[in-house]
Amino acid sequence: MTALLATRAARRRGIAFLVLLLVSVMLMAFSSNPAVREVQNGVSFAFRPIQGAIDEAARAAASVLATVSEIDRLRVDNAALRAENDRLAAENARLDEVRRENDSLTALLQLQAGFDHQTTATAVIARESSEFRRLVVVDKGTDDGISVGDVAVAAGGALVGRVVEVGPSSAKIVLLTDPGSTVIGQLTTNAATGEVVGQLGGVLVMRQIDAGETVAVGDEVVTAGIELGGGVRSPYPKGLLIGQVVDVKRDANDVVQTAYLQPAAPFDKLEYLLVILDYEGGLPPIEEQPVDCGGGGVLPEGEQPCLSPTPAATPSRAPSPRP
């Protein structure tokens, strides 16, 4: 049975081959006939628009597919470029911040190198700005030699304030703009002095300037560093920059005038400060303070100097009316 099926399959293949061969021969014979060629040309002419439309549609479809593929590729490229751009922007921002911090530290180190006082560099780690206080906290304290009363300055030698509270590794500095802050300022143009007090708005007020002195917008004000008798020194060293005059208030009926100053230190942007460690202002130590020798005693040589009390003014008596 298997052999029979195999024989039938072989016969069928042979018949199919003969049929195909016969058709091929007939087509070759007919294709050389002029009439057949005319029919072929006519059919080809009739189907030419359809063939052109099909070709155009195929080209359009291929173009659309190519465009979609290109769009996808561009989308991927744009995403990669956007990510790279964001990375570069973040890196540039980081480098700008590093450069700015480096410039600030360089300016502070240059100030420290040219200072006549022993100082230590500190970084601002906290701020307190309330309705009543203006202060900053720095990252050094008694372990680094800082004590209450030490003066803090910013880059350029601008006065910032004084230390009011100190711990082993931190210190609080009351700013010059604090309402409780007062320092004697001096104009660099004519050495006129006045009290510079802070206020919450940020502008400093220089009061009690002699009305006879000339005060102009743009004049600079520095710490006067006045030393009084009895060894009393100003709490602030002489010559620290306080600010610049931006307005002057004069009153013809007053013997004094008031100036308004733009602070030299950027109090809202303080990052690094120098704290002066070796300046001692105010009253001298108790063992160096003069004593009152009004009792008539004479101190041994080498003891504290005597304090010469200023006699109190006695009120004048009005003459009695003559009878």
Side-chain angles (χ1 to χ4, degrees):
M1 186 69 179
T2 304
L4 181 60
L5 290 175
T7 303
R8 288 180 179 177
R11 290 176 180 176
R12 289 176 182 174
R13 285 196 295 271
I15 293 172
F17 177 76
L18 291 175
V19 170
L20 291 175
L21 181 61
L22 181 61
V23 170
S24 300
V25 173
M26 293 178 64
L27 288 176
M28 291 175 62
F30 280 108
S31 62
S32 59
N33 192 329
V36 174
R37 285 200 299 271
E38 288 295 332
V39 171
Q40 290 177 344
N41 292 336
V43 172
S44 175
F45 180 79
F47 282 96
R48 189 173 299 168
I50 299 175
Q51 184 178 2
I54 294 174
D55 292 342
E56 186 66 27
R59 284 194 296 269
S63 177
V64 169
L65 292 176
T67 302
V68 170
S69 177
E70 183 69 14
I71 290 174
D72 289 339
R73 188 184 65 80
L74 291 176
R75 185 181 296 111
V76 172
D77 291 345
N78 285 339
L81 290 174
R82 191 178 298 110
E84 180 67 12
N85 185 64
D86 293 342
R87 187 190 67 80
L88 292 175
E91 182 68 14
N92 286 336
R94 186 186 68 81
L95 292 176
D96 288 342
E97 179 65 16
V98 171
R99 188 181 301 109
R100 187 187 60 77
E101 289 185 1
N102 184 64
D103 291 343
S104 299
L105 289 173
T106 300
L108 207 64
L109 291 175
Q110 289 175 349
L111 173 64
Q112 189 177 35
F115 235 24
D116 294 333
H117 299 281
Q118 180 185 357
T119 61
T120 182
T122 62
V124 175
I125 57 176
R127 303 175 187 272
E128 180 180 330
S129 297
S130 65
E131 186 177 354
F132 307 103
R133 298 299 303 274
R134 289 289 188 274
L135 61 83
V136 295
V137 181
V138 295
D139 63 348
K140 291 184 180 179
T142 54
D143 291 346
D144 299 281
I146 297 177
S147 58
V148 173
D150 287 345
V151 177
V153 296
L159 178 62
V160 171
R162 296 183 71 205
V163 176
V164 294
E165 185 178 332
V166 63
S169 59
S170 65
K172 290 185 177 180
I173 299 174
V174 170
L175 301 179
L176 205 59
T177 51
D178 187 273
S181 174
T182 302
V183 57
I184 303 301
Q186 185 178 58
L187 291 167
T188 57
T189 52
N190 53 16
T193 59
E195 295 179 351
V196 179
V197 296
Q199 58 180 10
L200 298 180
V203 176
L204 303 174
V205 180
M206 186 174 180
R207 307 179 304 193
Q208 305 297 322
I209 308 172
D210 193 308
E213 300 289 352
T214 301
V215 184
V217 173
D219 288 349
E220 289 188 342
V221 178
V222 298
T223 52
I226 296 175
E227 295 191 13
L228 305 177
V232 180
R233 303 175 70 189
S234 168
Y236 301 93
K238 184 178 179 63
L240 299 178
L241 184 60
I242 296 176
Q244 191 175 56
V245 176
V246 293
D247 193 13
V248 182
K249 180 181 178 181
R250 297 182 177 87
D251 191 333
N253 298 322
D254 289 339
V255 295
V256 294
Q257 54 186 325
T258 302
Y260 298 90
L261 313 179
Q262 178 65 38
F267 291 105
D268 295 333
K269 302 177 181 179
L270 293 174
E271 291 183 301
Y272 303 100
L273 304 176
L274 283 184
V275 178
I276 301 174
L277 303 178
D278 59 351
Y279 179 81
E280 296 181 2
L283 290 172
I286 188 66
E287 65 274 7
E288 299 178 10
Q289 294 183 18
V291 297
D292 189 355
C293 301
V298 179
L299 294 175
E301 185 177 357
E303 294 287 339
Q304 299 134 283
C306 291
L307 174 66
S308 301
T310 303
T314 57
S316 60
R317 299 179 58 185
S320 302
R322 295 182 180 179

